[in-house]
Amino acid sequence: MVELFLKQLLAEFNIAAGKFSDNTVARLLHNAKINELTKSITAAKNKVISIFHIYKETEEFKDAQIMLPNAVSRKHYEYRVDLSRFPNICIREIRNLDKAGLSFDVASAKISGIPASALSVDLQLSFTCGQGEDQVEDIKIIPFTVNADPKDLWLNKPSNKNDLYAKADSDKYAGPFLDKRIAVASQRGRSHAHEGAFRDDHFYVCKLPLGWEIIAVADGAGSAKFSRQGSKIATTFIAESFHDETLLAELSERCSDYFNAAVSNTPETPAAAEDPALKHKSSIINILYKQVRNLHAKLIEFAQQEAIQLKDLNTTLIFALTGKFDNGYTVLTFGVGDCPVNIITGNPVEVKLLNQLDIGEFGGGTRFVTMPEIFTNDIASRFAINRFEDFSRLVLMTDGVYDPKFVTENKLEDKAAWDAFFADLDGHNEDNARVDFLRNDGIEDQLLSWLNFWSKGNHDDRTLAIIY
């Protein structure tokens, strides 16, 4: 090492090699002072190189492209800074991180927390490179963004309470229903709230004579100027129209005759013989049909009185007229539009859609109870007559719930889809919003809160009624 050092030194000072130079180098190889100086100079060179590499790694780290993933306000954020390429770098502090509501753990190099609001900020990474007295401190700037929660981009303007046919932005109800309970909530959609427009959905629950009760739900057409009033008239009128003891007495008798006849029918019944079950079914549908027809006439009358067009009141309508009798629960349903009525039985668990939806092969477009064309020979298919020994849930909903939670019509009779839906109601969702059907206190508020769920592209009014 000494010989190489001396030869490099002689070359550096332009001392030519030769007999005298070589002899001198040979003598100096054993000189203690020269050996000591050589070691000292070599150590100094190594020290310089070591410091050089520390500064070089510092510059490389400062220039390295480190992209922190964007955070979302009110959503948990966690990110570990990858330092595998920089073994001598240690991040000591990240300044301005507190402005984003986040913190930094030095030991794990992990950023975490829940940002409170959207912002953009330049983070200052205070870091060191190297150890001991050779350690270098420096700052690296990294831009960081907290995006707004998509929910925050939607305004929530109150509707004008002084406007024509003003309606509350939300509604809720809970109480007894037959020998069960009912919870209903209706929430204005984000699209309407953003514009300060009214909720177009409506519902109405009514206790009737002779042990009957009814729940009606309607979804006013967003394109119709006064559909909020149309849905209100549709639900309240149809429900109150059954508040007639004479009518319900006849309906009860017809239903009893129908179910008895249906049970007594046998395959041996002659084909030419009149089917008594069919006769009683026709009588029941005729009673229900007249009430729906009267509703249509009421909407026409209202439009004429108010000097507006009937289509300004366009609305869907579903209702379930139910009664608890000795032989079980009678459930009479009607539907026009794209809102489903479903029943979930107890043991065994079965799911049944109780109305025809005006989607897919049936409609080609949503139908409304304001449309004269629905009153054709096919209208009988819009009514359903059912009896159940018992049931665990009877559910009515508008498409503001149906579209994001079921997506397609075939899922409405899929047990797995309903299991997922009730799990969602039980709190298995990103908001941890839960509807507790075991406790009656405040269940309508829980349901209303649950209806505030986020679903990209689904911002319509939402109404959900559950008899349980």
Side-chain angles (χ1 to χ4, degrees):
M1 182 179 70
V2 174
E3 183 178 4
L4 178 61
F5 170 73
L6 288 173
K7 288 181 178 180
Q8 289 175 342
L9 187 62
L10 292 177
E12 185 177 342
F13 282 88
N14 297 317
I15 299 174
K19 177 181 178 180
F20 299 111
S21 295
D22 292 343
N23 289 339
T24 302
V25 168
R27 290 184 62 185
L28 290 176
L29 291 177
H30 303 290
N31 185 287
K33 186 66 174 178
I34 292 297
N35 273 268
E36 183 180 341
L37 287 171
T38 299
K39 292 178 180 178
S40 176
I41 292 172
T42 301
K45 286 183 177 180
N46 290 335
K47 185 71 170 179
V48 170
I49 291 297
S50 176
I51 294 173
F52 170 82
H53 283 302
I54 289 173
Y55 275 81
K56 180 173 178 288
E57 188 171 343
T58 298
E59 292 301 314
E60 289 174 344
F61 180 67
K62 288 174 65 176
D63 188 62
Q65 189 175 26
I66 297 179
M67 301 290 292
L68 298 185
N70 292 346
V72 177
S73 63
R74 300 203 306 274
K75 302 288 185 183
H76 181 73
Y77 181 85
E78 186 172 301
Y79 180 75
R80 190 185 305 275
V81 182
D82 183 11
L83 297 174
S84 58
R85 292 187 296 139
F86 306 99
N88 298 301
I89 296 293
C90 178
I91 301 174
R92 300 295 186 185
E93 178 187 8
I94 301 183
R95 298 166 192 159
N96 295 331
L97 197 59
D98 58 329
K99 294 180 180 179
L102 301 173
S103 61
F104 177 71
D105 180 68
V106 176
S108 62
K110 185 169 66 177
I111 300 170
S112 62
I114 301 177
S117 59
L119 84 163
S120 294
V121 63
D122 284 336
L123 300 179
Q124 297 182 6
L125 274 68
S126 174
F127 68 94
T128 60
C129 187
Q131 302 292 328
E133 61 181 13
D134 300 327
Q135 192 176 82
V136 177
E137 296 185 11
D138 213 324
I139 298 291
K140 178 179 177 63
I141 305 298
I142 297 181
F144 182 65
T145 299
V146 178
N147 292 324
D149 187 319
K151 296 178 185 178
D152 296 338
L153 301 177
W154 293 89
L155 301 177
N156 188 17
K157 299 178 182 178
S159 55
N160 185 357
K161 304 308 178 188
N162 297 317
D163 207 347
L164 190 63
Y165 316 129
K167 179 186 289 187
D169 297 334
S170 64
D171 196 7
K172 59 188 178 181
Y173 173 79
F177 193 96
L178 302 178
D179 59 344
K180 296 181 180 288
R181 302 278 306 176
I182 186 171
V184 196
S186 183
Q187 177 64 57
R188 181 177 62 158
R190 288 187 177 89
S191 55
H192 286 167
H194 190 73
E195 300 173 353
F198 289 98
R199 172 175 56 97
D200 290 327
D201 280 8
H202 207 86
F203 72 84
Y204 194 78
V205 183
C206 186
K207 187 175 182 64
L208 303 170
L210 304 180
W212 290 89
E213 299 202 33
I214 188 171
I215 166 68
V217 173
D219 176 9
S223 59
K225 189 175 181 181
F226 300 119
S227 65
R228 61 183 181 274
Q229 184 68 4
S231 63
K232 181 179 180 180
I233 294 172
T235 52
T236 55
F237 182 90
I238 198 67
E240 292 293 346
S241 72
F242 288 102
H243 211 290
D244 182 328
E245 190 166 335
T246 301
L247 181 149
L248 290 176
E250 181 182 358
L251 193 59
S252 298
E253 182 179 351
R254 296 295 184 184
C255 286
S256 179
D257 292 341
Y258 168 71
F259 292 122
N260 289 335
V263 170
S264 63
N265 271 356
T266 64
E268 290 77 23
T269 302
E274 182 179 8
D275 185 347
L278 183 60
K279 175 183 177 182
H280 296 310
K281 179 179 180 180
S282 298
S283 298
I284 295 168
I285 290 177
N286 190 49
I287 293 172
L288 301 176
Y289 169 82
K290 286 181 179 178
Q291 305 310 102
V292 176
R293 190 74 195 188
N294 289 340
L295 165 61
H296 184 75
K298 174 65 178 179
L299 289 165
I300 293 175
E301 178 188 359
F302 182 85
Q304 292 173 344
Q305 289 176 348
E306 299 293 303
I308 60 177
Q309 298 185 66
L310 181 60
K311 67 179 182 179
D312 290 335
L313 300 171
N314 277 356
T315 181
T316 67
L317 174 66
I318 52 175
F319 69 74
L321 178 61
T322 63
K324 171 68 185 328
F325 304 103
D326 294 339
N327 52 9
Y329 295 86
T330 297
V331 183
L332 310 179
T333 54
F334 168 81
V336 57
D338 53 1
C339 302
V341 183
N342 273 84
I343 196 161
I344 296 89
T345 58
N347 189 20
V349 175
E350 293 180 334
V351 179
K352 185 175 182 179
L353 178 65
L354 301 183
N355 66 314
Q356 168 190 301
L357 300 187
D358 289 303
I359 56 178
E361 62 179 310
F362 291 112
T366 301
R367 297 290 186 263
F368 304 110
V369 74
T370 40
M371 292 179 168
E373 54 263 38
I374 71 166
F375 295 95
T376 64
N377 292 334
D378 294 334
I379 194 171
S381 64
R382 297 186 179 277
F383 298 94
I385 307 168
N386 286 280
R387 183 175 66 187
F388 303 94
E389 185 176 324
D390 197 5
F391 64 89
S392 60
R393 299 284 191 275
L394 177 59
V395 183
L396 296 83
M397 67 180 78
T398 59
D399 62 349
V401 179
Y402 155 64
D403 284 340
K405 295 301 182 182
F406 291 90
V407 185
T408 59
E409 183 183 3
N410 65 307
K411 291 289 186 69
L412 289 170
E413 291 192 294
D414 178 45
K415 182 179 178 298
W418 280 95
D419 287 343
F421 180 71
F422 288 121
D424 192 325
L425 283 167
D426 196 39
H428 296 275
N429 53 68
E430 64 176 15
D431 298 319
N432 296 317
R434 182 170 184 257
V435 184
D436 188 353
F437 290 98
L438 299 179
R439 299 182 61 183
N440 298 324
D441 292 345
I443 190 171
E444 67 273 32
D445 294 307
Q446 295 173 9
L447 190 58
L448 189 62
S449 177
W450 181 87
L451 285 176
N452 197 42
F453 63 81
W454 175 260
S455 176
K456 185 178 179 181
N458 293 292
H459 308 297
D460 201 0
D461 294 347
R462 296 168 178 169
T463 300
L464 178 60
I466 302 178
I467 300 167
Y468 59 99

